[in-house]
Amino acid sequence: MLKKLKRAALGAGVPHEKGTAALATVKMPVPSKVVLPMQQHIGAPCTPVVKKGDTVMVGTLVGKAEGFVSANIYSGVSGTVAAVDTVHISNGTSVPAVVITPDGQQTVDPAVKAPVVTDKASFIEAIQACGLVGLGGAGFPTAVKLSPKAPVDTLVINAAECEPYLTADTREMLENGETIASGIKAVMKYLEIKNCVIGIERNKPECVSAMNQLFSGEAGVTVKVLPNRYPQGAEKVLIEKTTGREVPQGGLPSDAGVIVLNVTTVSTIGKFLATGMPLVTKRLTVNGDAIKEPKNVEAIIGTPLREVLDFCGLKEGVTVAKLISGGPMMGVALPDADEPVLKQNNGVLAFSEKMATLPAAGPCIRCGRCIEACPMGLAPVQIAGAFNKKNTEELNKLCVDLCMLCGTCSYVCPAKRPVTQTMGLAKEFAKKEAKK
């Protein structure tokens, strides 16, 4: 790693595949059932606060946050709790889940009311009540992010959406500008942040225009047009590209005086402050070569992905060989379509066998492209060597902990080696060794 880390590496020129960017969001019908795993965020799982047979409404609390790093979970339908069961989620863990049978009425819980916010404490309390997490895919509880220990003077809005295929944030900017504006203003007001930078890749000129128009004359808010380079939206990369600051190794964005919020996350803040409706729906980009009608859909959280796929349709005669939650670079391959829509989902991609089949890996040719492209300035080929020798000291010297598993190294590798997977194993090994 460079002595003074600057994320000026090339990154990857991934294909954009933003064919759904011009497609307005379509609201899905109420699903046949809703499955709400109590782990939809980074941190402690929620505890179910309903039982089988209970009646719930839209906005009823069904999972209460446990611990500081957690986020409440609410029902997006009115109906009856069919079960409180254990389900397996895509990361391989088993967690409790609340299963609800909708009644089709979509009756709103009387408890849903716009919060009264007068200061920072009541603002953070409102965000906790919303059950909001990072909606760009990370799922970190927003109330925690908005409670930094270090002083912050800049809010960075992540509107890069650098993953191929995904256009959910694009549609948020084009369809919900007013709530983006109100959310940004609220964060700046109650956290006393003077400056805000909205980072957007230049392949979204309509979004750049919309945000420039929305914040024209607004003191402290600027729109930064970013190069089309993956992973432009990675938090540490984005901070440097928008502010010129660097997050220290092992540090948080607040250590650089910055808070980063996804554009849909900050828009949801604006919506919640106005209506009191917690986070119960999610926009997804549904795409891939197996999808008959690619769309941006608004689905109730907990909707089985099978119903999302049925809503968009599959091409006749095409078998789905790989189903991905998220984008193709950092998304998670799912075992089946029975997985539910989660808070942090921003896309579901269905690929045929032709698109899903990976090329055979060859021997490393020591070309150095993984080093040249790594946005964190790391040396994946050297890290792989240290990992094979189980050399913890060398892994730490090579700063393996900085790897964010963005997939850039695998993408640029001409030998098509599983570089990212090796980096992940090396990172996990070093972490475990450090705990001993």
Side-chain angles (χ1 to χ4, degrees):
M1 187 185 75
L2 302 176
K3 287 185 178 180
K4 179 163 178 58
L5 178 61
K6 284 294 180 185
R7 287 107 192 174
L10 290 178
V14 299
H16 297 294
E17 301 291 348
K18 304 285 190 179
T20 56
L23 301 180
T25 306
V26 181
K27 191 172 183 178
M28 279 191 60
V30 177
S32 61
K33 69 175 181 179
V34 163
V35 180
L36 295 170
M38 296 292 100
Q39 182 78 67
Q40 298 190 42
H41 47 267
I42 292 173
C46 290
T47 298
V49 293
V50 293
K51 61 184 184 302
K52 183 178 179 179
D54 284 354
T55 298
V56 297
M57 291 174 275
V58 179
T60 297
L61 179 70
V62 298
K64 185 171 177 56
E66 295 293 345
F68 177 59
V69 183
S70 191
N72 289 339
I73 295 172
Y74 297 87
S75 172
V77 297
S78 58
T80 304
V81 177
V84 178
D85 209 346
T86 299
V87 298
H88 304 288
I89 55 178
S90 57
N91 65 4
T93 60
S94 299
V95 297
V98 174
V99 182
I100 303 170
T101 302
D103 59 15
Q105 301 301 309
Q106 290 302 89
T107 307
V108 176
D109 194 314
V112 174
K113 296 178 181 177
V116 177
V117 176
T118 57
D119 55 14
K120 180 180 178 180
S122 58
F123 176 65
I124 299 299
E125 185 179 344
I127 303 305
Q128 288 174 327
C130 179
L132 186 57
V133 302
L135 301 182
F140 191 82
T142 304
V144 179
K145 183 173 280 193
L146 294 178
S147 306
K149 295 180 180 179
V152 169
D153 62 17
T154 302
L155 171 64
V156 173
I157 301 300
N158 185 355
E161 200 163 46
C162 58
E163 276 266 13
Y165 290 97
L166 303 184
T167 59
D169 286 344
T170 294
R171 295 315 307 175
E172 190 72 30
M173 286 183 275
L174 298 179
E175 297 174 15
N176 296 301
E178 291 304 319
T179 52
I180 292 172
S182 60
I184 288 175
K185 291 174 184 177
V187 173
M188 294 178 71
K189 175 182 177 181
Y190 294 113
L191 271 64
E192 298 182 347
I193 298 175
K194 296 180 180 179
N195 303 303
C196 174
V197 184
I198 304 171
I200 309 174
E201 280 194 325
R202 63 170 174 249
N203 67 341
K204 306 173 185 65
E206 68 284 3
C207 294
V208 172
S209 177
M211 292 297 102
N212 273 323
Q213 185 175 351
L214 188 65
F215 291 99
S216 176
E218 190 71 40
V221 182
T222 58
V223 176
K224 178 80 170 179
V225 181
L226 305 170
N228 299 338
R229 207 71 183 173
Y230 178 85
Q232 196 68 249
E235 196 168 64
K236 292 177 181 178
V237 176
L238 184 67
I239 289 171
E240 182 177 323
K241 297 302 182 184
T242 54
T243 69
R245 303 176 190 178
E246 182 180 337
V247 178
Q249 184 177 358
L252 298 171
S254 58
D255 294 321
V258 175
I259 287 176
V260 180
L261 292 178
N262 167 266
V263 68
T264 301
T265 303
V266 78
S267 182
T268 304
I269 291 174
K271 294 170 188 174
F272 181 72
L273 294 179
T275 66
M277 179 57 71
L279 180 61
V280 294
T281 65
K282 191 69 174 68
R283 183 190 291 104
L284 306 169
T285 298
V286 186
N287 208 339
D289 73 322
I291 297 295
K292 184 179 180 180
E293 296 182 28
K295 294 175 181 171
N296 289 299
V297 303
E298 181 184 352
I300 292 169
I301 293 170
T303 298
L305 288 177
R306 192 175 304 281
E307 297 192 26
V308 177
L309 296 179
D310 288 344
F311 183 69
C312 296
L314 296 175
K315 290 180 181 177
E316 189 174 350
V318 176
T319 300
V320 177
K322 181 169 287 187
L323 189 64
I324 297 176
S325 172
M329 296 297 289
M330 292 189 73
V332 177
L334 301 175
D336 53 53
D338 292 325
E339 297 274 333
V341 173
L342 304 179
K343 292 180 182 182
Q344 62 268 46
N345 288 163
N346 49 13
V348 56
L349 306 177
F351 293 111
S352 67
E353 187 172 354
K354 179 181 178 181
M355 287 287 287
T357 301
L358 298 175
C364 176
I365 61 174
R366 297 296 191 270
C367 64
R369 291 185 190 178
C370 58
I371 299 173
E372 183 181 49
C374 177
M376 300 305 292
L378 304 181
V381 65
Q382 294 178 19
I383 288 172
F387 173 61
N388 289 335
K389 296 174 183 177
K390 297 298 184 284
N391 188 333
T392 307
E393 183 179 352
E394 186 65 16
L395 287 172
N396 291 331
K397 285 182 180 178
L398 292 168
C399 303
V400 68
D401 61 303
L402 286 176
C403 176
M404 55 188 177
L405 303 176
C406 66
T408 300
C409 50
S410 289
Y411 182 83
V412 301
C413 177
K416 305 304 178 187
R417 297 182 62 78
V419 190
T420 304
Q421 291 86 338
T422 302
M423 292 287 286
L425 292 171
K427 183 176 181 178
E428 191 63 26
F429 171 75
K431 187 189 297 184
K432 288 182 179 179
E433 289 298 302
K435 291 180 179 179
K436 289 183 180 180

